[in-house]
Amino acid sequence: MSKNPVNSIVITELRKSYERTTGAETTYAIDGVSFDVPKGRFVTLLGPSGCGKTTTLRCVAGLERASGGRIEMGGQMVFDAPRKVHVRPEDRPIAMVPQSYGIWPHMTVIDNAAFPMQHGRNRRKGQDIRKRAMGMLEQVGLDAMADRWATQLSGGQQQRLAFARALLGDPEVLLLDEPLSNLDAKLRAKLRQELRSFQAQFGVTALYVTHDQAEALALSDTVIVMNHGHIEQIDRPERLYDHPRSSFVADFIGSANLIPVQDVSPRRGGSGVIAKTDVGPVLCLRSPDGEDHGAGNGGFVCVRPENVEVRADTSDLAEDEFLGTVESCEFLGDRLELVLRAADVPLTAFARPSLGCRPGDEVAVRFDPSTTSYLPH
């Protein structure tokens, strides 16, 4: 294998079952998961509870033995089910930051930080240990607290210490299992910026697990959306939001209006499709693969609330407009958040604060075709 692989992690058809086979069927927590993590990149596994993201991370760490598939790290095969290869966690080129940080309360801050250099895979000796530990603590702003007990640190400081300790083990891959979930929202936003900065500064490959979509979008080079043990979509954050490949991704990433489609047909004389819905025909210029879909049934029209255009004057409707009734209206400073109902279809829309409408009012509604997607499933 290559000594300088392009990918720090290569996962192929990974499967994990926690149940014994019953009859001919086996229930898998993850089933056929495949993805690459390029060297030096920040990749996030995102999904709801029970989707398989933490199981995948634990298989990469070697804390769980997968039922099938292969895992390659840094050019080395660390798990291969057919060949019965399973490299122990301590022999894999990784460091892990768990949700609880794993800080030892009976040790000082510097002893916690120095632990990987004393007992880990890449051990050091003598004064070099303290010197390097102090240097790393300085980088994360904890050098003044080096001789304090770890229990005297705040939650945010413990998170920094856990990250510093992980980096001092010289890992090829840094695994992070929801490390910010125990912090308050304001501190979480601050520390995710620091975390991304540290990762980029040290050039370590990061595989991150979270159910928080804002975290995933803010931190990641690539996001892997999981659902029921399968991968729904792998993409850059902006493409996940603007070009979801399924109704699950559209609904899970941000807020989306998903309008059921009765049938769909190609647009005559142009790109896109015409989707027949209860609110009327909707022109969609986006589709998951960028291709026009032929005639068919089912699926959804997907339009984000910020792309729903609303105006109060309903006296002269344009051809692509339809009537909606305001059910609720919330003033949020920079915008109004409206809940509308059109032909018994609920819609959420963001409008300018000066729109001047109230619950019960009729409004004219339009979807911008350039931002509207047809999702076949």
Side-chain angles (χ1 to χ4, degrees):
M1 294 187 181
S2 171
K3 293 182 179 179
N4 297 294
V6 174
N7 296 312
S8 290
I9 306 174
V10 178
I11 292 178
T12 308
E13 291 297 320
L14 198 67
R15 308 177 89 191
K16 173 63 181 176
S17 172
Y18 289 107
E19 300 176 7
R20 293 184 178 180
T21 302
T22 303
E25 294 185 0
T26 301
T27 302
Y28 287 92
I30 51 174
D31 190 4
V33 168
S34 299
F35 63 87
D36 300 340
V37 180
K39 197 169 185 177
R41 308 292 277 181
F42 198 113
V43 175
T44 296
L45 298 171
L46 174 67
S49 297
C51 71
K53 57 187 184 296
T54 296
T55 300
T56 301
L57 190 80
R58 288 176 63 81
C59 287
V60 172
L63 300 174
E64 299 280 359
R65 186 188 288 263
S67 308
R70 296 185 300 278
I71 303 172
E72 182 182 329
M73 302 184 71
Q76 175 192 1
M77 192 66 69
V78 297
F79 176 77
D80 190 332
R83 297 180 182 179
K84 298 183 178 180
V85 173
H86 179 78
V87 175
R88 299 179 305 170
E90 59 267 33
D91 295 326
R92 299 189 184 195
I94 61 169
M96 191 166 182
V97 179
Q99 187 174 354
S100 61
Y101 312 137
I103 301 300
W104 288 290
H106 64 289
M107 292 184 181
T108 62
V109 170
I110 193 166
D111 287 340
N112 265 279
F115 190 87
M117 295 184 288
Q118 296 168 326
H119 305 283
R121 194 174 54 256
N122 301 313
R123 299 183 184 182
R124 296 171 180 262
K125 295 182 179 180
Q127 292 299 313
D128 183 47
I129 292 177
R130 183 175 177 87
K131 181 180 179 181
R132 191 159 184 263
M134 283 299 296
M136 182 62 73
L137 291 176
E138 184 178 358
Q139 299 250 25
V140 299
L142 295 176
D143 51 314
M145 306 174 187
D147 295 315
R148 290 188 188 180
W149 293 108
T151 51
Q152 296 176 314
L153 299 182
S154 68
Q157 290 166 339
Q158 288 187 34
Q159 193 271 341
R160 290 195 192 106
L161 175 56
F163 189 66
R165 183 180 61 188
L167 290 175
L168 284 166
D170 295 322
E172 168 92 18
V173 176
L174 183 62
L175 307 176
L176 303 111
D177 187 9
E178 304 197 57
L180 305 181
S181 62
N182 293 330
L183 306 174
D184 65 75
K186 192 170 184 179
L187 184 56
R188 218 166 38 235
K190 180 177 184 294
L191 288 180
R192 74 187 182 204
Q193 294 173 2
E194 293 183 0
L195 180 60
R196 188 64 169 101
S197 176
F198 292 146
Q199 182 270 334
Q201 177 184 347
F202 292 99
V204 65
T205 304
L207 182 61
Y208 191 93
V209 162
T210 185
H211 63 270
D212 187 317
Q213 55 182 273
E215 241 174 59
L217 297 179
L219 285 167
S220 312
D221 296 308
T222 301
V223 178
I224 301 170
V225 182
M226 297 186 68
N227 185 31
H228 295 306
H230 298 275
I231 291 175
E232 290 272 342
Q233 186 171 345
I234 302 176
D235 232 322
R236 301 191 311 274
E238 59 271 22
R239 281 195 58 82
L240 276 177
Y241 188 82
D242 290 333
H243 298 276
R245 298 188 63 84
S246 69
S247 57
F248 173 82
V249 174
D251 191 45
F252 192 76
I253 304 292
S255 178
N257 294 296
L258 295 172
I259 305 165
V261 171
Q262 282 84 52
D263 60 65
V264 63
S265 57
R267 179 190 181 196
R268 291 182 181 179
S271 61
V273 298
I274 303 294
K276 182 181 177 182
T277 72
D278 286 344
V279 301
V282 177
L283 172 59
C284 305
L285 295 181
R286 290 181 177 178
S287 59
D289 52 14
E291 300 289 337
D292 291 344
H293 291 268
N297 298 317
F300 297 90
V301 166
C302 172
V303 57
R304 301 288 185 185
E306 63 269 26
N307 297 322
V308 178
E309 300 174 8
V310 179
R311 62 186 181 90
D313 182 6
T314 61
S315 59
D316 185 20
L317 291 180
E319 184 180 352
D320 59 350
E321 289 182 315
F322 54 91
L323 288 175
T325 302
V326 178
E327 291 194 335
S328 69
C329 178
E330 291 186 342
F331 174 68
L332 299 179
D334 61 334
R335 68 178 188 268
L336 293 178
E337 185 167 316
L338 306 175
V339 176
L340 313 172
R341 187 162 292 273
D344 210 32
V345 175
L347 298 171
T348 302
F350 299 155
R352 64 187 186 281
S354 60
L355 180 66
C357 62
R358 295 180 178 181
D361 290 351
E362 277 199 327
V363 291
V365 185
R366 177 183 179 271
F367 300 151
D368 180 355
S370 67
T371 61
T372 302
S373 302
Y374 168 64
L375 304 178
H377 56 88

